[in-house]
Amino acid sequence: KNEVEQSPQNLTAQEGEFITINCSYSVGISALHWLQQHPGGGIVSLFMLSSGKKKHGRLIATINIQEKHSSLHITASHPRDSAVYICAVGDNWDATNKLIFGTGTLLAVQP
Amino acid sequence: GAGVSQSPSNKVTEKGKDVELRCDPISGHTALYWYRQSLGQGLEFLIYFQGNSAPDKSGLPSDRFSAERTGGSVSTLTIQRTQQEDSAVYLCASSFENTGELFFGEGSRLTVL
């Protein structure tokens, strides 16, 4: 069992739909990161959170420390949101960004 | 610089050759990380620098891999006697603090023939 698991692995949505990507982890963490990777492109950090909820534009990230679960939501999805979304956690014993990565969720938003 | 810069962006080499990959982090970022993204393997941690020292090298896959950082800035990842399984995208990231927001470079794609 991977320490960081994401679901779904693949997701196809129609433009405008509300999207949820889930991440569960099994280790104690210092922080959880949501990352975005466009095809052939670099990685962009979307959120870093250790509790509660953060919002940036149409993106919302939540985390439940007790349940060891985080969700990334995209409201009013757009084709430019098509990318791989990666959940990663920092082990709380390290207190660094030595991250453990999930396998990613490939999102395709169709017009 | 404005962002994390990595070079070369693409490198094709023959098995057995040595390669050097360079990372120029964001100015003022004390923490620097190397990760690797292999096809079908996802992302994995390689090594972490705080300043010029590397407190955690636990992710380096073998003794053919080494890295250094000088002047608290530029880092070089060296792979000696490359093997085909070393083919991957090598990503560098930096952060202002150990657990701050990460900024990634575009990566160096290494292909070992």
Side-chain angles (χ1 to χ4, degrees):
Chain A
K1 186 173 175 11
N2 293 332
E3 292 170 300
V4 180
E5 294 199 336
Q6 289 184 235
S7 64
Q9 289 188 324
N10 292 279
L11 180 58
T12 300
Q14 295 298 313
E15 184 174 356
E17 286 186 1
F18 180 84
I19 290 164
T20 296
I21 300 171
N22 295 300
C23 176
S24 296
Y25 53 91
S26 57
V27 296
I29 68 168
S30 55
L32 183 143
H33 299 247
W34 281 103
L35 310 171
Q36 180 192 56
Q37 185 173 34
H38 284 282
I43 293 175
V44 174
S45 175
L46 298 175
F47 295 103
M48 184 181 72
L49 65 166
S50 55
S51 66
K53 175 180 176 178
K54 288 189 175 181
K55 184 176 188 294
H56 185 255
R58 296 181 294 105
L59 302 178
I60 303 166
T62 64
I63 188 168
N64 184 318
I65 297 296
Q66 287 73 32
E67 295 186 3
K68 295 188 174 180
H69 180 270
S70 176
S71 293
L72 176 68
H73 305 285
I74 305 174
T75 62
S77 59
H78 190 277
R80 64 176 174 268
D81 297 326
S82 299
V84 176
Y85 292 83
I86 303 167
C87 172
V89 301
D91 191 305
N92 66 356
W93 296 111
D94 282 317
T96 70
N97 280 326
K98 173 188 175 182
L99 300 178
I100 305 168
F101 296 88
T103 53
T105 295
L106 176 60
L107 171 66
V109 181
Q110 297 178 341
Chain B
V4 178
S5 178
Q6 290 188 246
S7 61
S9 54
N10 279 285
K11 175 73 175 178
V12 180
T13 191
E14 293 180 347
K15 177 181 171 181
K17 300 283 190 183
D18 297 352
V19 296
E20 284 190 354
L21 308 176
R22 175 188 168 110
C23 173
D24 201 342
I26 292 173
S27 178
H29 281 194
T30 58
L32 185 148
Y33 299 81
W34 283 98
Y35 304 97
R36 179 169 74 172
Q37 187 170 35
S38 304
L39 190 62
Q41 297 280 341
L43 277 152
E44 58 180 335
F45 165 82
L46 297 178
I47 186 170
Y48 152 60
F49 286 93
Q50 177 58 40
N52 289 338
S53 64
D56 193 334
K57 306 178 183 181
S58 62
L60 294 178
S62 77
D63 59 8
R64 296 186 295 105
F65 288 71
S66 63
E68 65 175 11
R69 189 179 184 193
T70 55
S73 180
V74 172
S75 176
T76 303
L77 177 69
T78 301
I79 309 172
Q80 295 179 309
R81 305 181 302 281
T82 51
Q83 303 294 312
Q84 288 183 332
E85 62 261 29
D86 300 334
S87 296
V89 177
Y90 290 83
L91 290 153
C92 176
S94 68
S95 60
F96 184 66
E97 297 171 332
N98 290 353
T99 54
E101 181 184 2
L102 273 172
F103 294 83
F104 285 82
E106 292 291 313
S108 292
R109 180 176 296 277
L110 174 65
T111 302
V112 182
L113 301 177

